[in-house]
Amino acid sequence: MKHSWRRQPATPAAAPTPARAPARPAAASTDPAQQNRASVVHAALYRYGRRVSTPDSLAETFRQLREDPDGMAWIGLHRPTEAELLTLADEFDLHPLAVEDAMEAHQRPKLERYGETLFVVLRAARYLDAAEEVDFGELHVFVGRDFVITVRHGAAPDLSAVRNRMEETPELMALGPEAVLYAILDAVVDGYAPVVEGVQNDIDEIETEVFRGDPEVSRRIYELSREMVEFQRATRPLVGMLHGLMAGFAKYRTDEELQRYLRDVADHVTHTSERVDGFRQALADILTVNSTLVTQQQNAEMRAIAEAGFEQNEEIKKISSWAAILFAPTLVGTIYGMNFDHMPELHWTFGYPFALVLMALVCTGLYVIFKRRGWL
């Protein structure tokens, strides 16, 4: 039977590990709080590409899937509890390492096979226009022969849109869980396009701000560069992941139509990854140009300050020169203005003309000296 592989843990030869044993009672728990948590899980049962049931709990989903040999379950979780994940792990024989990754989140994009189950980690992204920044979300996907489980950490991607799209094309849904995985991959990759456009607009604005001399542009370049590092970490591993999926087409007998779809997604991922690499290089070049322009501006300001200082020095020289010239006759006049009785020149007939001539000679001498030195 199709579902016999999920009931194998009940036999002694394949008994479940102690770490996963507590999860079995959780599936049939009658605790109201737990039933409420399970009721918010988006779960649906499909047969031949069409929805046949929408269970209101995980336990009901498990029951209906066991009773339908041709059914496929698609279970969507958003930030699930540990009990819910352990329940799913026990029912679908999910590998403990994959379940641990799904619990902890903060994983890099990867694709791993655990027996007949495929575990995929994706990093979705969306561009926030108001904040002009990129918001990243994390998505974990378990793909088995008759089930797809999505564990979402973050707002992106919108899996309800993916589900609606697949339900509108039952011929694609009928291809099985791998088709659902393709649709999820396609949605994540398509979600990169608005981010790429938003980042391109930001880079265009940054280039304008750089040549405008905006003092805050360096901070904006740095913040966008950090986001591009995260974006690169989200997109670059996808290229290898999709090539790994394509390498297994023959081994896992993937439908030819689905192969075409996956190749198309791989092309889009490659293009997006190249764009992101280009953004990082462009931001590095812009930062270099901005540093050069800032240095040139600082040099120009220093040159202007130096020129202003030189001009001030020249003015000070002129003022000092004239002050010295005017001080000379003041000094002579001050000396002969003292009220002493015994001053030889006071009663001399030529004393007054002598004082005037002395003032004139001193002033003329100082003027000549300062003029030669370029102070006047």
Side-chain angles (χ1 to χ4, degrees):
M1 295 297 290
K2 183 174 183 181
H3 300 285
S4 60
W5 65 276
R6 287 192 287 108
R7 293 195 290 268
Q8 287 178 1
T11 64
T17 61
R20 288 164 48 199
R24 186 173 295 279
S29 174
T30 57
D31 179 51
Q34 185 168 344
Q35 291 294 336
N36 289 337
R37 285 197 301 270
S39 66
V40 301
V41 175
H42 194 167
L45 194 67
Y46 299 87
R47 186 188 305 118
Y48 305 124
R50 300 185 182 277
R51 184 187 290 220
V52 295
S53 176
T54 306
D56 58 1
S57 67
L58 287 176
E60 181 64 18
T61 304
F62 301 156
R63 186 189 65 79
Q64 293 185 18
L65 185 59
R66 292 191 192 102
E67 295 174 354
D68 190 350
D70 298 318
M72 180 192 75
W74 183 351
I75 303 172
L77 305 174
H78 180 247
R79 300 187 185 279
T81 64
E82 181 177 353
E84 289 170 342
L85 281 177
L86 290 177
T87 300
L88 291 167
D90 187 57
E91 177 68 21
F92 295 109
D93 195 25
L94 304 180
H95 196 279
L97 293 178
V99 175
E100 182 181 356
D101 289 344
M103 286 182 183
E104 297 180 355
H106 304 294
Q107 304 293 321
R108 299 194 67 177
K110 61 181 179 179
L111 184 149
E112 295 178 348
R113 286 189 180 273
Y114 297 100
E116 295 182 350
T117 303
L118 189 65
F119 177 61
V120 181
V121 179
L122 303 172
R123 293 293 303 277
R126 60 174 182 163
Y127 185 79
L128 304 179
D129 291 324
E132 291 187 344
E133 62 182 22
V134 182
D135 177 50
F136 294 94
E138 190 168 333
L139 179 65
H140 301 248
V141 186
F142 296 89
V143 181
R145 291 190 301 177
D146 59 351
F147 68 89
V148 175
I149 303 171
T150 59
V151 180
R152 187 160 53 94
H153 298 272
D158 183 7
L159 294 182
S160 62
V162 178
R163 191 184 293 268
N164 293 336
R165 172 198 170 189
M166 293 296 290
E167 291 181 350
E168 291 173 357
T169 54
E171 65 278 3
L172 182 59
M173 179 76 85
L175 296 179
E178 285 188 347
V180 176
L181 176 60
Y182 149 73
I184 294 173
L185 287 168
D186 189 50
V188 170
V189 174
D190 285 347
Y192 293 152
V195 178
V196 170
E197 295 303 321
V199 172
Q200 183 63 67
N201 292 335
D202 286 346
I203 292 177
D204 293 340
E205 292 176 1
I206 286 173
E207 289 177 341
T208 302
E209 292 174 0
V210 165
F211 290 101
R212 189 189 300 161
D214 191 331
E216 297 295 329
V217 70
S218 296
R219 180 182 181 88
R220 189 176 180 186
I221 294 172
Y222 174 72
E223 291 176 348
L224 189 58
S225 297
R226 290 183 59 185
E227 291 179 351
M228 289 304 97
V229 171
E230 290 295 321
F231 202 7
Q232 196 173 49
R233 290 174 180 173
T235 57
R236 181 173 289 179
L238 278 179
V239 178
M241 289 168 55
L242 286 166
H243 281 87
L245 281 175
M246 291 188 292
F249 283 166
K251 179 178 179 180
Y252 297 98
R253 300 178 181 178
T254 304
D255 183 84
E256 292 185 3
E257 187 68 15
L258 191 56
Q259 292 182 26
R260 298 188 187 97
Y261 286 134
L262 288 171
R263 289 193 185 96
D264 181 66
V265 175
D267 291 340
H268 291 170
V269 169
T270 302
H271 176 70
T272 301
S273 180
E274 291 173 351
R275 290 288 300 275
V276 175
D277 292 342
F279 288 155
R280 285 201 64 185
Q281 184 61 46
L283 287 170
D285 294 341
I286 291 173
L287 187 60
T288 301
V289 171
N290 182 61
S291 300
T292 303
L293 293 176
V294 169
T295 302
Q296 291 178 349
Q297 183 179 1
Q298 291 176 344
N299 291 339
E301 292 175 354
M302 294 297 295
R303 190 181 304 109
I305 293 173
E307 292 175 354
F310 178 77
E311 293 177 357
Q312 289 178 351
N313 290 337
E314 293 300 316
E315 295 296 327
I316 291 173
K317 288 179 182 180
K318 292 180 181 179
I319 294 173
S320 300
S321 299
W322 286 112
I325 292 172
L326 295 176
F327 177 72
T330 303
L331 178 63
V332 175
T334 302
I335 293 174
Y336 285 99
M338 292 186 290
N339 297 321
F340 293 110
D341 293 334
H342 301 287
M343 292 183 67
E345 292 83 3
L346 292 180
H347 302 286
W348 184 32
T349 305
F350 300 103
Y352 178 68
F354 173 77
L356 292 178
V357 171
L358 179 60
M359 293 178 187
L361 288 175
V362 173
C363 291
T364 303
L366 290 174
Y367 179 82
V368 172
I369 292 173
F370 292 143
K371 190 69 174 178
R372 288 180 177 178
R373 294 185 176 181
W375 288 23
L376 294 175

